[in-house]
Every structure is written in C-alpha cells, then in structure tokens.
Tab-separated table of all heavy atoms in Angstrom:
chain	number	residue	atom	x	y	z
A	1	LYS	N	-318.955	-70.156	59.810
A	1	LYS	CA	-318.990	-68.813	60.376
A	1	LYS	C	-317.772	-68.541	61.262
A	1	LYS	O	-317.272	-69.433	61.959
A	1	LYS	CB	-320.273	-68.618	61.186
A	1	LYS	CG	-321.569	-68.963	60.440
A	1	LYS	CD	-321.756	-68.116	59.198
A	1	LYS	CE	-323.147	-68.239	58.592
A	1	LYS	NZ	-323.421	-69.519	57.948
A	2	SER	N	-317.342	-67.287	61.253
A	2	SER	CA	-316.249	-66.845	62.121
A	2	SER	C	-316.800	-66.495	63.499
A	2	SER	O	-318.014	-66.403	63.710
A	2	SER	CB	-315.578	-65.615	61.519
A	2	SER	OG	-316.457	-64.498	61.574
A	3	SER	N	-315.893	-66.248	64.438
A	3	SER	CA	-316.327	-65.866	65.790
A	3	SER	C	-317.074	-64.537	65.765
A	3	SER	O	-318.036	-64.339	66.526
A	3	SER	CB	-315.124	-65.788	66.720
A	3	SER	OG	-314.171	-64.842	66.245
A	4	GLU	N	-316.676	-63.616	64.891
A	4	GLU	CA	-317.371	-62.335	64.796
A	4	GLU	C	-318.773	-62.518	64.225
A	4	GLU	O	-319.733	-61.880	64.682
A	4	GLU	CB	-316.573	-61.351	63.937
A	4	GLU	CG	-315.276	-60.892	64.589
A	4	GLU	CD	-314.592	-59.783	63.812
A	4	GLU	OE1	-315.296	-58.978	63.151
A	4	GLU	OE2	-313.353	-59.715	63.852
A	5	GLU	N	-318.911	-63.379	63.236
A	5	GLU	CA	-320.242	-63.662	62.698
A	5	GLU	C	-321.131	-64.305	63.753
A	5	GLU	O	-322.302	-63.942	63.899
A	5	GLU	CB	-320.133	-64.599	61.501
A	5	GLU	CG	-319.599	-63.963	60.234
A	5	GLU	CD	-319.539	-64.966	59.099
A	5	GLU	OE1	-318.627	-65.802	59.101
A	5	GLU	OE2	-320.420	-64.924	58.221
A	6	LEU	N	-320.583	-65.252	64.495
A	6	LEU	CA	-321.382	-65.941	65.501
A	6	LEU	C	-321.860	-64.984	66.585
A	6	LEU	O	-322.991	-65.105	67.076
A	6	LEU	CB	-320.576	-67.088	66.116
A	6	LEU	CG	-320.233	-68.240	65.160
A	6	LEU	CD1	-319.400	-69.291	65.879
A	6	LEU	CD2	-321.489	-68.862	64.567
A	7	ALA	N	-321.023	-64.016	66.950
A	7	ALA	CA	-321.447	-63.023	67.944
A	7	ALA	C	-322.626	-62.206	67.423
A	7	ALA	O	-323.591	-61.940	68.163
A	7	ALA	CB	-320.270	-62.117	68.296
A	8	LEU	N	-322.571	-61.825	66.156
A	8	LEU	CA	-323.669	-61.063	65.550
A	8	LEU	C	-324.929	-61.910	65.448
A	8	LEU	O	-326.049	-61.432	65.713
A	8	LEU	CB	-323.248	-60.568	64.166
A	8	LEU	CG	-324.209	-59.604	63.458
A	8	LEU	CD1	-324.236	-58.265	64.183
A	8	LEU	CD2	-323.816	-59.410	62.008
A	9	ILE	N	-324.777	-63.172	65.078
A	9	ILE	CA	-325.913	-64.078	64.941
A	9	ILE	C	-326.585	-64.295	66.296
A	9	ILE	O	-327.827	-64.332	66.385
A	9	ILE	CB	-325.450	-65.404	64.315
A	9	ILE	CG1	-325.124	-65.189	62.828
A	9	ILE	CG2	-326.492	-66.503	64.493
A	9	ILE	CD1	-324.399	-66.338	62.177
A	10	ARG	N	-325.811	-64.434	67.365
A	10	ARG	CA	-326.400	-64.584	68.701
A	10	ARG	C	-327.247	-63.369	69.062
A	10	ARG	O	-328.335	-63.501	69.626
A	10	ARG	CB	-325.301	-64.780	69.744
A	10	ARG	CG	-324.654	-66.150	69.731
A	10	ARG	CD	-323.728	-66.334	70.934
A	10	ARG	NE	-323.154	-67.674	70.965
A	10	ARG	CZ	-322.000	-68.010	70.408
A	10	ARG	NH1	-321.284	-67.074	69.774
A	10	ARG	NH2	-321.562	-69.258	70.476
A	11	GLU	N	-326.737	-62.188	68.744
A	11	GLU	CA	-327.497	-60.976	69.040
A	11	GLU	C	-328.793	-60.923	68.223
A	11	GLU	O	-329.840	-60.518	68.717
A	11	GLU	CB	-326.647	-59.738	68.757
A	11	GLU	CG	-325.707	-59.372	69.883
A	11	GLU	CD	-326.490	-58.938	71.122
A	11	GLU	OE1	-326.941	-57.778	71.178
A	11	GLU	OE2	-326.657	-59.780	72.032
A	12	GLY	N	-328.707	-61.326	66.965
A	12	GLY	CA	-329.907	-61.348	66.138
A	12	GLY	C	-330.967	-62.283	66.687
A	12	GLY	O	-332.167	-61.964	66.686
A	13	ALA	N	-330.539	-63.448	67.174
A	13	ALA	CA	-331.486	-64.394	67.764
A	13	ALA	C	-332.115	-63.811	69.024
A	13	ALA	O	-333.312	-64.003	69.290
A	13	ALA	CB	-330.785	-65.712	68.072
A	14	ARG	N	-331.312	-63.091	69.808
A	14	ARG	CA	-331.847	-62.447	71.020
A	14	ARG	C	-332.914	-61.414	70.660
A	14	ARG	O	-333.961	-61.326	71.325
A	14	ARG	CB	-330.708	-61.796	71.807
A	14	ARG	CG	-331.153	-61.162	73.122
A	14	ARG	CD	-330.002	-60.438	73.796
A	14	ARG	NE	-329.546	-59.297	73.019
A	14	ARG	CZ	-330.140	-58.100	73.024
A	14	ARG	NH1	-331.217	-57.897	73.752
A	14	ARG	NH2	-329.652	-57.113	72.290
A	15	VAL	N	-332.670	-60.653	69.609
A	15	VAL	CA	-333.651	-59.653	69.175
A	15	VAL	C	-334.932	-60.339	68.719
A	15	VAL	O	-336.047	-59.860	68.992
A	15	VAL	CB	-333.057	-58.767	68.066
A	15	VAL	CG1	-334.126	-57.847	67.475
A	15	VAL	CG2	-331.889	-57.939	68.602
A	16	CYS	N	-334.816	-61.465	68.032
A	16	CYS	CA	-336.012	-62.213	67.623
A	16	CYS	C	-336.823	-62.663	68.831
A	16	CYS	O	-338.067	-62.622	68.811
A	16	CYS	CB	-335.615	-63.426	66.782
A	16	CYS	SG	-335.026	-63.028	65.136
A	17	ASP	N	-336.146	-63.100	69.885
A	17	ASP	CA	-336.851	-63.484	71.105
A	17	ASP	C	-337.629	-62.310	71.695
A	17	ASP	O	-338.763	-62.469	72.166
A	17	ASP	CB	-335.864	-64.017	72.145
A	17	ASP	CG	-335.338	-65.405	71.808
A	17	ASP	OD1	-335.955	-66.086	70.964
A	17	ASP	OD2	-334.318	-65.810	72.390
A	18	LEU	N	-337.012	-61.127	71.672
A	18	LEU	CA	-337.711	-59.931	72.153
A	18	LEU	C	-338.937	-59.645	71.289
A	18	LEU	O	-340.001	-59.264	71.800
A	18	LEU	CB	-336.767	-58.727	72.133
A	18	LEU	CG	-335.617	-58.735	73.142
A	18	LEU	CD1	-334.733	-57.514	72.932
A	18	LEU	CD2	-336.148	-58.768	74.565
A	19	GLY	N	-338.794	-59.824	69.986
A	19	GLY	CA	-339.932	-59.645	69.092
A	19	GLY	C	-341.035	-60.638	69.390
A	19	GLY	O	-342.227	-60.298	69.343
A	20	GLY	N	-340.662	-61.881	69.715
A	20	GLY	CA	-341.656	-62.882	70.065
A	20	GLY	C	-342.432	-62.499	71.318
A	20	GLY	O	-343.665	-62.653	71.381
A	21	ALA	N	-341.718	-61.991	72.318
A	21	ALA	CA	-342.390	-61.539	73.539
A	21	ALA	C	-343.343	-60.387	73.234
A	21	ALA	O	-344.437	-60.298	73.811
A	21	ALA	CB	-341.349	-61.117	74.575
A	22	ALA	N	-342.954	-59.511	72.306
A	22	ALA	CA	-343.823	-58.394	71.928
A	22	ALA	C	-345.073	-58.883	71.210
A	22	ALA	O	-346.165	-58.314	71.373
A	22	ALA	CB	-343.045	-57.417	71.044
A	23	VAL	N	-344.940	-59.938	70.414
A	23	VAL	CA	-346.115	-60.532	69.766
A	23	VAL	C	-347.111	-60.996	70.821
A	23	VAL	O	-348.319	-60.713	70.754
A	23	VAL	CB	-345.698	-61.704	68.849
A	23	VAL	CG1	-346.923	-62.530	68.456
A	23	VAL	CG2	-345.006	-61.186	67.596
A	24	VAL	N	-346.619	-61.714	71.809
A	24	VAL	CA	-347.499	-62.226	72.866
A	24	VAL	C	-348.176	-61.075	73.613
A	24	VAL	O	-349.362	-61.154	73.958
A	24	VAL	CB	-346.698	-63.124	73.829
A	24	VAL	CG1	-347.545	-63.517	75.038
A	24	VAL	CG2	-346.209	-64.373	73.101
A	25	GLU	N	-347.439	-59.993	73.832
A	25	GLU	CA	-348.018	-58.823	74.508
A	25	GLU	C	-349.219	-58.260	73.751
A	25	GLU	O	-350.180	-57.788	74.360
A	25	GLU	CB	-346.970	-57.710	74.625
A	25	GLU	CG	-345.878	-57.946	75.646
A	25	GLU	CD	-344.843	-56.839	75.614
A	25	GLU	OE1	-344.928	-55.947	74.748
A	25	GLU	OE2	-343.931	-56.880	76.461
A	26	ALA	N	-349.151	-58.299	72.439
A	26	ALA	CA	-350.168	-57.625	71.615
A	26	ALA	C	-351.340	-58.519	71.237
A	26	ALA	O	-352.342	-58.035	70.715
A	26	ALA	CB	-349.512	-57.077	70.347
A	27	ILE	N	-351.227	-59.816	71.484
A	27	ILE	CA	-352.284	-60.742	71.075
A	27	ILE	C	-353.515	-60.588	71.964
A	27	ILE	O	-353.418	-60.598	73.189
A	27	ILE	CB	-351.764	-62.193	71.139
A	27	ILE	CG1	-350.799	-62.461	69.978
A	27	ILE	CG2	-352.922	-63.185	71.102
A	27	ILE	CD1	-350.139	-63.824	70.049
A	28	ALA	N	-354.665	-60.456	71.325
A	28	ALA	CA	-355.948	-60.410	72.033
A	28	ALA	C	-357.067	-60.595	71.015
A	28	ALA	O	-356.899	-60.276	69.832
A	28	ALA	CB	-356.124	-59.077	72.770
A	29	PRO	N	-358.207	-61.116	71.423
A	29	PRO	CA	-359.340	-61.239	70.496
A	29	PRO	C	-359.702	-59.880	69.899
A	29	PRO	O	-359.730	-58.861	70.601
A	29	PRO	CB	-360.470	-61.769	71.379
A	29	PRO	CG	-359.781	-62.462	72.507
A	29	PRO	CD	-358.543	-61.665	72.766
A	30	GLY	N	-359.947	-59.874	68.590
A	30	GLY	CA	-360.338	-58.649	67.909
A	30	GLY	C	-359.192	-57.822	67.366
A	30	GLY	O	-359.429	-56.867	66.617
A	31	VAL	N	-357.947	-58.174	67.698
A	31	VAL	CA	-356.787	-57.428	67.199
A	31	VAL	C	-356.378	-57.995	65.839
A	31	VAL	O	-356.204	-59.210	65.704
A	31	VAL	CB	-355.604	-57.514	68.179
A	31	VAL	CG1	-354.385	-56.779	67.622
A	31	VAL	CG2	-355.994	-56.944	69.537
A	32	PRO	N	-356.210	-57.169	64.813
A	32	PRO	CA	-355.797	-57.680	63.499
A	32	PRO	C	-354.349	-58.191	63.512
A	32	PRO	O	-353.524	-57.733	64.307
A	32	PRO	CB	-355.916	-56.453	62.579
A	32	PRO	CG	-356.749	-55.468	63.320
A	32	PRO	CD	-356.498	-55.725	64.771
A	33	GLU	N	-354.067	-59.124	62.624
A	33	GLU	CA	-352.708	-59.664	62.509
A	33	GLU	C	-351.673	-58.548	62.356
A	33	GLU	O	-350.622	-58.562	63.016
A	33	GLU	CB	-352.619	-60.596	61.298
A	33	GLU	CG	-353.403	-61.879	61.413
A	33	GLU	CD	-353.345	-62.719	60.156
A	33	GLU	OE1	-352.695	-62.291	59.165
A	33	GLU	OE2	-353.942	-63.811	60.133
A	34	PHE	N	-351.958	-57.580	61.493
A	34	PHE	CA	-350.949	-56.567	61.193
A	34	PHE	C	-350.648	-55.678	62.394
A	34	PHE	O	-349.515	-55.201	62.544
A	34	PHE	CB	-351.358	-55.722	59.979
A	34	PHE	CG	-352.465	-54.727	60.222
A	34	PHE	CD1	-352.177	-53.438	60.654
A	34	PHE	CD2	-353.784	-55.090	60.008
A	34	PHE	CE1	-353.202	-52.530	60.873
A	34	PHE	CE2	-354.804	-54.176	60.227
A	34	PHE	CZ	-354.524	-52.890	60.671
C-alpha cells in the first residue's frame, strides 16, 4: 500500500470502531439483530 492508501485505510478502521460503539449502544434484551 501507498501512503495515500494507508491514510484511507486508517480512516476506514476508525469508522468501523464508531460502528462498533453504535452496536453496543443498541444492544438490549428483546432487540432484534437487524
């Protein structure tokens, strides 16, 4: 990967972390997976 690709990949990983935090926010008994 080039330096430009690596910068984009780092941002993508950061967005995934935000998505993970959102998953935890929404988890509760009785809530469907979707």
Side-chain angles (χ1 to χ4, degrees):
K1 308 300 191 289
S2 69
S3 59
E4 291 188 30
E5 286 181 284
L6 294 178
L8 187 69
I9 288 168
R10 286 189 177 92
E11 277 294 280
R14 183 185 65 81
V15 172
C16 288
D17 287 343
L18 291 177
V23 166
V24 172
E25 287 176 355
I27 286 174
V31 178
E33 292 177 359
F34 74 89

